Amino acid sequence: MTMENATFSSHSEDQLRMKERTMDKWLSVSEREASVSGITDEQLLFELAMTTGHNGLTDAHIARLAAGRVQSPDHLLTIAMCAFDYEASEAAVARLDDDHLLIRILSELELHTEKWALDRENGDNITRLEQELKIDVSDKISDVFLLVEPALMDPGDHLLGISAKENYIRRLAENPEVLLTYVQREKDGLSLAMTADVTMDRCVLEHIASCEGDSWIQAARKQALSKLEVMETHPEEHIGGTE
């Protein structure tokens, strides 16, 4: 065995030993944390982030730490969508900064029904967790135009107190031209009402006010018309938006 191979073998054995310690539930939390911090092997960190979580809150914490040390964007994408534990998915999203990978999470997250198994076993609401992660993802996307399609595709879970679609609309409102592109294609009345609630852009409000449809559409129209009236009668109170 060459010196190079011997060094590689020793390093691999050391890394595997630290992974085993990380997964040893009989060790203290601080000992397990120290083992995670000593692992530099990307594949081992990826495996820990993907599968750890079987032994409760401590394992969820370890999975989060491992995900927080993963470097590969592809690995982070997989962890975000498919990790055993929600905390690992959340940590992976925090490390991603590629808009197109973040958009993939929004479009594919619900296809991975095996994710967050421990939370499912504990009776937590997986739909709520999906909404929360989508909000985290949409807050990180820098090009808000990319959120137009996710906003249109999301039916909106209006029974939940937390709504990813509402967050998409809030982000779209950062750019009135992009928001107008969205409302010109949106057919859902409650979504249009959400939009009217977050914008003071005249063009967007005028489009909503011109829509026709069911009672939700009518409610959105009424809200938009009310704002437009305020803008006409009290222009000095209109701050922000475009004329």
Side-chain angles (χ1 to χ4, degrees):
M1 179 182 293
T2 66
M3 180 65 70
E4 182 179 357
N5 287 339
T7 301
F8 176 78
S9 176
S10 174
H11 172 73
S12 296
E13 290 174 4
D14 183 53
Q15 291 284 288
L16 288 169
R17 191 177 303 111
M18 280 190 284
K19 180 187 177 185
E20 290 174 0
R21 286 178 57 81
T22 296
M23 299 177 69
D24 188 345
K25 65 179 181 179
W26 299 110
L27 294 177
S28 68
V29 174
S30 60
E31 289 174 311
R32 297 178 71 184
E33 288 176 342
S35 296
V36 175
S37 66
I39 298 175
T40 57
D41 187 300
E42 175 82 5
Q43 184 61 33
L44 296 184
L45 288 168
F46 173 66
E47 291 171 4
L48 281 170
M50 284 294 293
T51 61
T52 307
H54 294 268
N55 294 318
L57 294 176
T58 299
D59 273 6
H61 174 61
I62 295 302
R64 173 181 282 277
L65 292 179
R69 291 177 55 78
V70 170
Q71 301 292 326
S72 163
D74 288 339
H75 280 163
L76 289 169
L77 176 67
T78 302
I79 294 166
M81 293 194 291
C82 308
F84 186 87
D85 192 272
Y86 175 76
E87 287 201 29
S89 295
E90 197 174 43
V93 166
R95 288 186 58 76
L96 281 169
D97 57 11
D98 184 306
D99 276 1
H100 294 284
L101 293 181
L102 291 166
I103 287 293
R104 279 192 61 189
I105 296 173
L106 295 182
S107 62
E108 299 177 24
L109 181 63
E110 293 175 14
L111 301 178
H112 299 278
T113 56
E114 71 278 15
K115 64 186 180 298
W116 311 329
L118 182 62
D119 299 286
R120 191 182 301 277
E121 290 167 7
N122 288 343
D124 284 352
N125 190 318
I126 299 302
T127 300
R128 176 181 60 80
L129 294 177
E130 287 173 346
Q131 296 289 302
E132 289 180 354
L133 196 71
K134 285 180 177 181
I135 288 173
D136 289 344
V137 171
S138 58
D139 279 343
K140 295 204 67 181
I141 290 172
S142 57
D143 183 359
V144 295
F145 181 78
L146 295 174
L147 287 171
V148 171
E149 289 300 327
L152 290 167
M153 295 299 295
D154 192 322
D157 195 331
H158 306 310
L159 296 178
L160 290 175
I162 182 170
S163 167
K165 182 156 189 169
E166 188 171 358
N167 203 63
Y168 300 157
I169 293 169
R170 180 186 63 80
R171 288 298 321 277
L172 293 172
E174 295 172 12
N175 186 322
E177 291 183 4
V178 173
L179 187 64
L180 181 60
T181 298
Y182 162 70
V183 297
Q184 287 172 338
R185 298 175 59 192
E186 181 60 80
K187 305 301 182 185
D188 177 66
L190 186 52
S191 299
L192 290 173
M194 289 179 188
T195 305
D197 188 52
V198 300
T199 186
M200 288 298 290
D201 181 75
R202 183 180 298 277
C203 292
V204 172
L205 292 171
E206 286 177 346
H207 177 81
I208 296 172
S210 71
C211 293
E212 296 183 358
D214 61 19
S215 59
W216 287 111
I217 296 284
Q218 296 307 310
R221 288 185 71 245
K222 183 176 181 180
Q223 189 170 0
L225 287 167
S226 177
K227 277 196 168 184
L228 287 167
E229 182 179 358
V230 170
M231 291 165 65
E232 290 294 337
T233 57
H234 302 284
E236 71 282 358
E237 296 179 9
H238 173 47
I239 302 174
T242 58
E243 294 293 332

